[in-house]
Amino acid sequence: QVQLVESGGGLVQPGGSLRLSCAASGLLLDYWNVAWFRQAPGKEREGVSCIFHRDGTTYFADSVRGRFTIYSDMAKNTVYLEMSNLKPEDTGVYYCAADFRHGGLALVYDYWGRGTQVTVSS
């Protein structure tokens, strides 16, 4: 059974940093595609970043490029989203998602975590 568990969210001031973790079980990340999405209150879920583990390719939404980094620790079967220079508009619930065939920043993933709240506020 595939499970994705996010952690690392919290309250941070504008300009601050957070690192989110997505711990996977029931699958080995080596050949899976993993993405981070976020959803702000009253808004649709949007893709933030993704990684294709087969070749290491990464993608970022324009709104976070240059501020967010995505990487993996295969020994821990965990994907991280390192977020810096956070802005109030980065506030939302952050979800990780995994799929063996599909990838990118669209809502095409089969497996989802329950999310972790990120609030950027002074």
Side-chain angles (χ1 to χ4, degrees), residues 9-59:
L11 173 64
V12 63
Q13 292 187 342
S17 300
L18 279 176
R19 188 181 75 165
L20 305 183
S21 302
C22 173
S25 60
L27 62 87
L28 292 177
L29 288 175
D30 305 57
Y31 298 101
W32 286 68
N33 305 317
V34 177
W36 285 94
F37 291 80
R38 68 186 180 190
Q39 189 165 19
K43 294 189 176 181
E44 293 185 353
R45 193 171 298 190
E46 63 174 353
V48 174
S49 181
C50 67
I51 182 167
F52 292 79
H53 283 112
R54 289 184 186 86
D55 63 7
T57 302
T58 59
Y59 292 97

Side-chain angles (χ1 to χ4, degrees), residues 57-110:
T57 302
T58 59
Y59 292 97
F60 297 89
D62 290 342
S63 58
V64 307
R65 189 175 294 113
R67 300 188 296 121
F68 289 13
T69 303
I70 187 170
Y71 59 97
S72 305
D73 183 336
M74 293 306 179
K76 296 182 178 180
N77 217 36
T78 298
V79 176
Y80 299 95
L81 184 69
E82 191 87 45
M83 308 185 294
S84 62
N85 191 21
L86 283 162
K87 305 176 181 180
E89 51 264 42
D90 294 318
T91 295
V93 179
Y94 282 68
Y95 302 89
C96 70
D99 198 282
F100 187 75
R101 294 185 178 180
H102 303 102
L105 300 181
L107 297 170
V108 295
Y109 292 78
D110 279 344

